[in-house]
Amino acid sequence: LIEIKIDLEQIKFMFGYSLGLMPAFLGTVFLSQIDRIMLSNYLGNFSAGIYSLSYNMSGVLSMIAMAIYNSWLPDYYKLMDNKEYVKHDKQLFLIIKILSFITCSLILFSGIIAKLISAEDFHSGLQLIPIIIFGIYISMLTPTFARHISYTKKTYLTSLVIILSGILNFTLNYYFIPLYGIYASAFTTLFCYIFQFLLMYLVVKKILKFYTTSLLKILMWSSPVVLCFVFSLIFSDSIY
């Protein structure tokens, strides 16, 4: 016979942990969609379509990054339980190197792919691609610290950071899209991802007072992406 037992304490923990993250998941969807919705409202569906094409090209990076982070999760918890922070950072920097290589490749070559698979009418918006990809890259660095918040079971803090980022993105888009058009949306989203990354770092370091990987070293291993991004902006006419 199969005996079924209900552990109320475990159920209570599961609900407390997951409910704290629900606003974060909703906020992530809001943050990724609000720019397209506002572009459609202010500039029309064609501009939103151009933006969506560029955004979809960067979706490859998100999928690869999340697959890597999820596969690393068991090792992460083991390292945190044993306080093996040096080994944690070594593995984290390897992940950042892989993501940096993929990001640089996308920034430099995704324009060619986009031209092959899209209609010529959409080519005018391909210069958005490096801006959006760079923003997605920054957002993929955020789990570096967001994972610590989940580890300490203070998931409501993750939701708070993402909600604040979503509000900031909405506000910036509201003011700048009418003034500067489609490029404003790309840059405001990039800015909000940087804001989210830094705020997550401050929450872990100052509020939770938990271990934080050196921000300087993360930026160091991200420097090739920054260089590729700047290069793509300077020579955008040649690349895209």
Side-chain angles (χ1 to χ4, degrees):
L1 294 177
I2 299 175
E3 184 179 357
I4 299 176
K5 292 184 178 180
I6 299 176
D7 190 335
L8 294 179
E9 286 298 320
Q10 185 66 22
I11 293 175
K12 181 180 177 181
F13 166 76
M14 290 168 59
F15 272 100
Y17 186 89
S18 58
L19 287 175
L21 280 175
M22 284 183 65
F25 290 128
L26 295 174
T28 300
V29 173
F30 178 82
L31 187 58
S32 64
Q33 297 293 329
I34 189 61
D35 41 10
R36 278 169 275 193
I37 294 172
M38 296 184 75
L39 277 173
S40 179
N41 184 52
Y42 283 115
L43 304 178
N45 291 331
F46 182 71
S47 293
I50 292 176
Y51 187 86
S52 294
L53 171 64
S54 301
Y55 211 99
N56 290 337
M57 291 299 298
S58 66
V60 176
L61 177 60
S62 298
M63 290 188 292
I64 294 174
M66 294 314 300
I68 294 173
Y69 277 123
N70 288 335
S71 65
W72 183 52
L73 194 58
D75 286 339
Y76 165 80
Y77 275 98
K78 184 178 179 180
L79 293 171
M80 290 296 102
D81 288 341
N82 297 329
K83 294 182 169 50
E84 296 182 77
Y85 300 131
V86 174
K87 192 174 180 180
H88 164 272
D89 285 357
K90 184 177 180 180
Q91 293 183 9
L92 176 64
F93 292 146
L94 176 60
I95 292 174
I96 292 176
K97 290 176 189 177
I98 294 171
L99 295 181
S100 295
F101 174 77
I102 295 170
T103 303
C104 287
S105 300
L106 288 172
I107 287 175
L108 296 175
F109 302 113
S110 59
I112 298 173
I113 299 172
K115 284 183 178 179
L116 293 174
I117 64 174
S118 64
E120 189 173 347
D121 291 344
F122 289 92
H123 292 180
S124 60
L126 295 184
Q127 292 179 351
L128 292 167
I129 290 178
I131 307 169
I132 295 173
I133 290 177
F134 187 55
I136 295 296
Y137 174 78
I138 298 297
S139 75
M140 290 299 103
L141 293 180
T142 303
T144 302
F145 305 115
R147 193 143 283 180
H148 294 336
I149 298 177
S150 297
Y151 178 79
T152 57
K153 302 179 178 64
K154 306 292 185 182
T155 51
Y156 65 90
L157 291 172
T158 301
S159 293
L160 179 62
V161 170
I162 293 177
I163 288 171
L164 289 174
S165 301
I167 293 172
L168 178 62
N169 196 19
F170 174 83
T171 304
L172 293 177
N173 279 327
Y174 178 80
Y175 282 105
F176 289 112
I177 287 178
L179 294 175
Y180 302 105
I182 194 169
Y183 283 91
S185 185
F187 277 109
T188 55
T189 300
L190 168 60
F191 179 81
C192 289
Y193 279 136
I194 295 173
F195 169 81
Q196 179 178 281
F197 170 73
L198 294 176
L199 187 56
M200 206 75 78
Y201 168 78
L202 291 173
V203 166
V204 175
K205 188 175 182 65
K206 301 297 184 181
I207 297 178
L208 296 179
K209 301 188 185 303
F210 193 75
Y211 173 77
T212 50
T213 302
S214 169
L215 195 59
L216 186 62
K217 288 184 179 180
I218 292 175
L219 295 176
M220 181 185 73
W221 290 116
S222 299
S223 58
V225 178
V226 177
L227 292 175
C228 283
F229 175 61
V230 173
F231 177 84
S232 70
L233 293 181
I234 295 173
F235 299 100
S236 59
D237 292 335
S238 301
I239 300 174
Y240 299 96

